[in-house]
Amino acid sequence: MNQQTQIIILLIIWVITAGVIIFKNWAKREINSGLTIIYIVNLSLIHFFGAIIHIFPWYSYCLLYTS
């Protein structure tokens, strides 16, 4: 299994897990501050989109700061 396939599988697992957590918290219909949903959204912003960028075929890792 190559690295791109691994990332795609992990992204699918992340989307399913985040969806289940958000759905369960949203379906409770009780008064809360929404911290769980905001936490999942913040994790998505900092990890999910970075992983998506690595999937693109034109992405190549390069060091910006070389010594």
Side-chain angles (χ1 to χ4, degrees):
M1 182 181 313
N2 63 7
Q3 190 174 17
Q4 186 175 8
T5 308
Q6 266 185 322
I7 291 174
I8 291 171
I9 290 171
L10 291 173
L11 282 172
I12 291 169
I13 291 171
W14 172 255
V15 168
I16 290 170
T17 305
V20 167
I21 291 171
I22 289 173
F23 178 75
K24 285 190 172 255
N25 280 315
W26 204 315
K28 283 183 184 177
R29 297 287 183 201
E30 61 184 30
I31 297 173
N32 60 20
S33 62
L35 288 176
T36 305
I37 295 172
I38 295 302
Y39 184 74
I40 297 295
V41 169
N42 280 335
L43 279 177
S44 295
L45 288 174
I46 63 173
H47 294 289
F48 185 75
F49 295 115
I52 288 176
I53 289 172
H54 282 79
I55 291 175
F56 292 141
W58 58 82
Y59 174 79
S60 65
Y61 178 75
C62 64
L63 294 174
L64 297 176
Y65 302 103
T66 57
S67 34

